[in-house]
Amino acid sequence: MSPRYDVVSIFPEYLAPLELSLIGKARQAGLLELSIQDLREFATDRHRTVDDTPYGGGAGMVMKPEPWAQALERTLREAPAPEPGEDAFLDAESRRPLLVVPSPAGQVFTQRTAEAFARERHIVFACGRYEGIDERVLDWAAERFRVVPVSLGDYVLNGGEVAVMAMVEAAARLIPGVIGNPESLVEESHAAGLLEYPVYTKPSVWREHPVPEVLLSGNHARIARERRDWQLERTCRRRPDLIDALPPGALDRRDREV
Ligand code: 6GU
């Protein structure tokens, strides 16, 4: 059974690029079901209002709770049914869909998060705008979903839509079958906690810049060793924090000579 992702947003057109490229093809191939809901459908007044002024004062507007509850209830009604036998050992808690709330106040999204998302059967993404969603929606939702506020990093976007595009793309490409050659997932940046090594293609000399000689040697052991060194050098220079975070034993004796 392919995973289902629901995205709720007041700007459903913002998510249109998810029709394209790899994710679009995965949807067409039935590897991923993606449904985009317009939050304003669940507003009740003539102006389709989804925001209001904050209690306690302050700048900006807050998203009203009721349209969110209605929209999230619809995603629960449309939740994929468990396959007979498939989830036999899951408790009720694990059967709850994941509710991802993009927010600069969330836990930071990493490749590990993407890997965890790719194992989920049903994820609902709740895109907030303005100053955010009335906190009671998250309290209410916690009885129906596993709620996780998630941030892309330490900067502020206008809303969750761009963040959801990044998260959906990072997770969906890890769903089995979405990427034609799964070996390309093994070597890429962050898979082993290091940045990817630099890559080169023809011509062997381009505008007086030659390709590193070792890559033309045909010596696969030497090439593998050199690429590992390039990864380590690049990671030390650009992202020393990743070196500090490597699990014990991730570096071997020969790595330490770099
Ligand atoms: Cl997930 N949402 C918003 N609005 N801003 C962000 C973010 C998310 N991650 C970083 N900045």
Side-chain angles (χ1 to χ4, degrees):
M1 179 73 179
S2 56
R4 178 181 170 111
Y5 295 169
D6 289 295
V7 184
V8 184
S9 163
I10 58 167
F11 293 124
E13 328 83 78
Y14 234 93
L15 286 307
L18 294 176
E19 310 271 350
L20 305 175
S21 191
L22 202 77
I23 307 300
K25 287 205 194 92
R27 292 171 72 180
Q28 281 171 12
L31 295 168
L32 165 68
E33 200 183 329
L34 202 144
S35 162
I36 297 166
Q37 316 278 345
D38 184 353
L39 181 69
R40 284 197 201 277
E41 271 187 37
F42 304 93
T44 47
D45 66 319
R46 202 164 55 83
H47 300 291
R48 306 213 297 162
T49 309
V50 293
D51 63 332
D52 207 337
T53 54
Y55 275 120
M61 300 291 272
V62 173
M63 295 190 107
K64 291 159 63 68
E66 190 54 26
W68 274 110
Q70 298 285 338
L72 296 178
E73 277 174 337
R74 169 173 317 166
T75 69
L76 289 172
R77 285 196 299 276
E78 294 180 359
E83 310 248 287
E86 184 196 71
D87 288 334
F89 299 105
L90 283 184
D91 56 21
E93 162 76 13
S94 319
R95 268 184 232 273
R96 291 180 190 175
L98 198 66
L99 179 63
V100 174
V101 186
S103 161
Q107 61 183 75
V108 174
F109 185 83
T110 68
Q111 190 64 18
R112 303 291 88 78
T113 323
E115 288 161 3
F117 283 10
R119 292 190 292 267
E120 291 287 335
R121 178 72 173 294
H122 186 200
I123 308 182
V124 179
F125 294 92
C127 297
R129 284 263 153 183
Y130 316 114
E131 298 310 304
I133 304 171
D134 186 312
E135 190 68 20
R136 293 169 296 177
V137 173
L138 307 192
D139 302 337
W140 168 87
E143 290 167 20
R144 293 150 179 90
F145 297 84
R146 288 165 295 140
V147 179
V148 275
V150 181
S151 167
L152 285 195
D154 292 336
Y155 46 86
V156 178
L157 303 171
N158 284 335
E161 287 78 6
V162 168
V164 165
M165 275 199 279
M167 293 188 245
V168 166
E169 181 157 316
R173 61 194 294 285
L174 302 178
I175 295 169
V178 169
I179 291 220
N181 177 7
E183 276 186 41
S184 62
L185 298 176
V186 178
E187 292 210 340
E188 67 191 6
S189 286
H190 298 290
L194 295 174
L195 302 183
E196 181 59 291
Y197 52 77
V199 295
Y200 305 85
T201 186
K202 292 175 275 298
S204 61
V205 181
W206 173 76
R207 299 196 178 193
E208 296 172 19
H209 292 258
V211 162
E213 175 278 325
V214 60
L215 298 180
L216 311 177
S217 70
N219 181 337
H220 296 293
R222 239 189 97 206
I223 292 172
R225 181 64 250 169
E226 195 71 29
R227 282 178 164 165
R228 174 89 177 163
D229 289 348
W230 290 337
Q231 279 191 285
L232 289 161
E233 281 165 8
R234 175 180 269 191
T235 310
C236 284
R237 230 180 313 111
R238 297 182 184 171
R239 293 292 306 279
D241 57 304
L242 293 181
I243 300 286
D244 298 337
L246 285 174
L251 298 179
D252 67 22
R253 196 173 47 78
R254 297 204 299 162
D255 287 336
R256 288 180 210 282
E257 291 162 13
V258 174

